[in-house]
C-alpha cells in the first residue's frame, strides 16, 4: 500500500504539536492548582486536596467569592448543550469574574489588579501568584456583595470551608430585635424531657455582701448672717436762732 511521505510528516508534526500543547496544559494546571492551594490556605480552607480536584476547586473558589457554587456548576453543565454553550460559557466566565472580584477585595487589592484575571491562562496564573505569595492577608469583613439579595449569593455551608460573612452558619440565631409573628408559640419540649442537673457539689455563687453604709458628711457650724448696720441718727434742729450783737446805747 502506497503512503505519501508528506502526509506522514504532517501527521507526525501535528502529533508533536498537540503533545506539546498537552504538556503545557498539564503544567499550567499544576501551577494554577498550587497557587490556588496557597490562596485557600490563607483563606482558612481546610484540606489542601480541595485545590487539586478539577471543577470542585472552582466551586470552593466561588464560595470564597460569595457566589453560589451551584450557579457555577449549573453554568458549567449547560456548556455541553449545543447552541447554548456559547451563552452559558460567557455566563460562567462572568460569574467567576464576580467571585474573583470579591476574593481580590478580601485580599485588599485594588481593582486594576483584577484585570489580570481577564487574561486567559497567563494572566490568571500571575493574579493567583500575587495573592498566594504576596504579603496581603485575607480579610472577609469587607461588607456585603452587590448581589447579596439575588440568587447568586452563597447560602451553602460546606465542612472545611469557612463561612463568609453574610452567609448562614450552623446554629444560626435570629438577629437582634427580631420579633416572632403574632400568635407564634415556641415548640414544646419532648415528652419526658428533663433539664440537665447541675454537677455534684455545685453551689450557685452567693450574691455580693452589701458594704457598710457610708455615713453622711458631718454638718458644719452654722454661721448666722451678719446684722445689717443701723443708720446714723439725724441731727437735732437748733431750738432758737443765736442772738445777734447788741446795739450801742447813745
Amino acid at each position: 500500500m502506497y503512503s505519501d511521505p508528506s502526509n506522514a510528516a504532517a501527521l507526525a508534526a501535528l502529533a508533536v504539536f498537540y503533545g506539546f500543547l498537552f504538556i503545557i496544559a498539564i503544567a499550567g494546571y499544576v501551577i494554577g492548582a498550587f497557587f490556588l492551594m496557597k490562596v485557600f490556605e490563607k483563606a482558612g480552607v481546610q484540606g489542601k486536596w480541595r485545590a487539586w480536584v478539577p471543577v470542585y476547586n472552582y466551586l470552593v473558589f466561588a464560595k470564597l467569592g460569595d457566589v453560589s457554587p451551584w450557579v457555577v456548576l449549573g453554568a458549567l453543565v449547560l456548556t455541553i448543550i449545543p447552541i447554548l454553550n456559547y451563552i452559558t460559557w460567557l455566563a460562567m466566565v462572568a460569574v467567576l469574574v464576580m467571585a474573583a472580584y470579591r476574593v481580590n477585595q478580601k485580599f485588599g487589592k485594588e481593582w486594576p489588579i483584577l484585570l489580570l484575571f481577564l487574561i486567559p491562562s497567563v494572566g490568571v496564573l500571575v493574579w493567583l501568584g500575587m495573592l498566594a505569595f504576596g504579603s496581603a492577608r485575607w480579610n472577609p469583613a469587607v461588607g456585603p456583595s452587590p448581589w447579596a439579595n439575588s440568587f447568586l449569593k452563597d447560602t451553602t455551608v460546606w465542612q472545611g470551608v469557612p463561612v463568609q460573612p453574610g452567609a448562614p452558619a450552623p446554629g444560626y440565631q435570629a438577629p437582634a430585635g427580631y420579633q416572632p409573628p403574632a400568635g407564634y408559640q415556641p415548640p414544646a419540649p419532648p415528652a419526658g424531657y428533663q433539664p440537665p442537673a447541675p454537677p455534684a457539689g455545685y453551689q450557685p455563687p452567693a450574691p455580693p455582701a452589701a458594704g457598710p453604709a457610708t455615713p453622711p458628711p458631718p454638718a458644719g457650724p452654722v454661721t448666722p448672717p451678719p446684722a445689717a448696720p443701723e443708720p446714723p441718727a439725724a441731727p437735732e434742729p437748733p431750738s432758737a436762732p443765736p442772738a445777734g450783737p447788741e446795739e450801742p446805747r447813745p
Side-chain angles (χ1 to χ4, degrees):
M1 183 176 180
Y2 175 76
S3 61
D4 190 355
S6 60
N7 291 338
L11 291 176
L14 192 62
V16 171
F17 175 73
Y18 280 110
F20 178 76
L21 290 182
F22 179 76
I23 295 175
I24 293 297
I26 293 297
Y29 182 82
V30 170
I31 297 174
F34 178 74
F35 288 171
L36 201 58
M37 180 184 68
K38 294 297 184 181
V39 172
F40 285 0
E41 288 180 358
K42 283 189 172 183
V45 177
Q46 300 176 5
K48 298 180 180 181
W49 58 271
R50 301 178 192 270
W52 297 90
V53 180
V55 180
Y56 179 71
N57 52 8
Y58 283 97
L59 304 185
V60 177
F61 179 80
K63 284 184 61 61
L64 296 180
D66 302 327
V67 175
S68 174
W70 306 127
V71 174
V72 177
L73 183 61
L76 183 61
V77 171
L78 291 177
T79 55
I80 64 178
I81 300 178
I83 301 176
L84 294 178
N85 52 359
Y86 295 103
I87 300 177
T88 54
W89 178 261
L90 292 176
M92 188 186 69
V93 171
V95 170
L96 289 178
V97 169
M98 294 168 61
Y101 164 75
R102 291 291 289 175
V103 172
N104 189 79
Q105 192 177 24
K106 292 178 182 181
F107 272 104
K109 298 294 185 179
E110 299 293 336
W111 69 265
I113 299 178
L114 186 62
L115 297 177
L116 293 171
F117 189 82
L118 302 178
I119 304 175
S121 301
V122 177
V124 175
L125 292 179
V126 173
W127 181 75
L128 286 175
M130 294 176 62
L131 300 184
F133 299 100
S135 59
R137 296 185 177 181
W138 178 259
N139 179 24
V142 292
S145 61
W147 54 88
N149 297 324
S150 68
F151 70 97
L152 296 173
K153 65 179 180 179
D154 179 29
T155 57
T156 60
V157 178
W158 290 357
Q159 185 177 4
V161 181
V163 177
Q164 302 302 302
Y172 172 76
Q173 300 292 333
Y178 171 78
Q179 296 294 334
Y184 171 78
Q185 295 293 334
Y193 170 78
Q194 295 293 334
Y202 171 78
Q203 295 292 335
T214 304
V222 179
T223 304
E230 297 181 357
E236 297 181 357
S239 57
E246 296 181 356
E247 294 182 1
R249 295 179 179 179

